[in-house]
Amino acid sequence: MNKYNGLINIYKEQGFTSNDVVAKLRGILHQKKIGHTGTLDPDATGVLVVCLGTGTKLVEMLTDHDKEYIAVCKLGVTTDTQDMSGTILEEAEVNVTRQQLHEAVQAFVGDYDQIPPMFSAIKQNGKKLYELAREGIEVERKPRKVHISAITILDDSNLDKDNTFVMEVKCSKGTYIRTLCNDIGLRLGCGAAMQNLMRTRVGAFALDTAVKLSQVEEMRDNGTLEGIIQSPEYIFKDLDKIHVKDSCRALLENGNSFRKDNVVNEDPDEVNDTEFSEQMFTDGNMVRVYAEDDTFFGIYKYDARTRQFKVDKFFFEKN
C-alpha cells in the first residue's frame, strides 16, 4: 500500500538530475513507487511533475503533454552539448539586428524537423547517445518532427551588450530547447548555445504551484503534504463523470467491467448531463467512474458491442 498516490509538482533546482529528485523523494516520503514525467538537464530548473503510487500509471500520459520554457540563448558560440556547460567548439562575431533575430526565431514556429543532440538520453542500438558522446563517438541521428506552437522574445535588451536574448517557447514533447538555440544560431550564421533554461509549465502544472524538495519535507512533517498532491483524476477533469450503483461496488473494486444499466439513474449534480447520454454511450467514449460515495475508481471506456464500460486506467487501492 502506498502512503501517497497522485501527482506532485516539484520545482527542480539547479544541480539535480530528474532521477536525483525521484531518489530524494523516495527517502522523504518513505515509498518506492515514484516516477518523473520528463527529464530536465541538471543545469535546468523549473516544473518537474512527479507521480506517486497509483499516479505512476500516468507517467507516459503526462510525458506526452505540451510544455513551456523560458530560455536564455547566447549567440556567437557553438558547443558540443549545445549549451554553455559544454566545450566551446567555435566562436564567431555577431552582427545580428533585433529584426533579424525575431525573424529567425519565428521561422521555427510550427512543425520542425529537429535532429536530437548527441548529449541526450535517446538510445541508439541499445546505448544512450550521451554515453557515446562521452567516448568521443558521434553517430548519425534521424530528425524527429516536433511542434512549436509559439516563441516569444521576452528580452533582447542585451543583444548588443553580450549577444544574449530571452525567449519563451511553447512546444510539444520531445523538443530540445538547446537544439532549438543551436538551430537559431545556424540560421543566423553565427552559432548559438543555450545559457539558461527554466521549464514553466507541463500540461496543467505551472511554475507558481511548484514546490522545492525542502518544502515537501516540511509539509510531510507538519501534515499538510496531501493538500498539494493532486489526485490522478486531476488530469482527466475534462471527461464526463459517472457514478455506479452500490450494488456493483464489488465489481468496481476488482477492476471488472459494468453495464450501462449499472450507472446511477438519478444522477447527483455534476455526474452527467442527460442531454449528452447518447454521446456517453458511444463506442470508445471515456468517462471518470466513481462509486455512489464519490470514491474514484478510474477511467473506463464504453464498448457499444457488449454495452459495457471496461477499465482503461484503474487507480483504486483497497485499504
Side-chain angles (χ1 to χ4, degrees), residues 241-286:
K241 175 181 180 182
I242 64 173
H243 288 70
V244 175
K245 296 173 183 176
D246 280 341
S247 57
C248 297
R249 177 95 185 201
L251 285 175
L252 290 182
E253 290 189 357
N254 290 306
N256 292 325
S257 303
F258 60 89
R259 300 188 309 275
K260 61 186 284 189
D261 59 7
N262 297 140
V263 176
V264 173
N265 291 324
E266 298 300 325
D267 292 331
D269 291 341
E270 297 182 49
V271 176
N272 62 300
D273 190 330
T274 53
E275 290 179 22
F276 297 103
S277 59
E278 275 189 33
Q279 183 182 338
M280 184 168 294
F281 300 118
T282 301
D283 191 56
N285 187 49
M286 312 276 275

Side-chain angles (χ1 to χ4, degrees), residues 43-87:
D43 288 343
T45 61
V47 173
L48 181 70
V49 181
V50 176
C51 299
L52 312 173
T54 56
T56 54
K57 296 176 183 180
L58 299 173
V59 166
E60 190 176 328
M61 188 172 288
L62 281 163
T63 304
D64 288 346
H65 278 210
D66 287 355
K67 299 172 177 68
E68 296 180 13
Y69 298 87
I70 292 177
V72 179
C73 182
K74 185 172 180 64
L75 299 177
V77 59
T78 304
T79 74
D80 59 350
T81 58
Q82 301 182 339
D83 62 21
M84 294 305 293
S85 71
T87 301

Side-chain angles (χ1 to χ4, degrees), residues 2 26 59 66 81 104 108 111 118 126 132 136 142 148-149 178 207 210 229 237 252 255 259 263 272 289 291 305 307:
N2 296 296
R26 284 181 179 139
V59 166
D66 287 355
T81 58
F108 292 92
D111 288 338
M118 275 303 301
L132 295 172
K142 291 181 180 178
I148 296 180
S149 53
R178 49 197 164 97
L207 191 65
I229 297 174
K237 56 188 178 181
L252 290 182
R259 300 188 309 275
V263 176
N272 62 300
V289 172
R305 186 182 63 82
R307 296 185 180 182

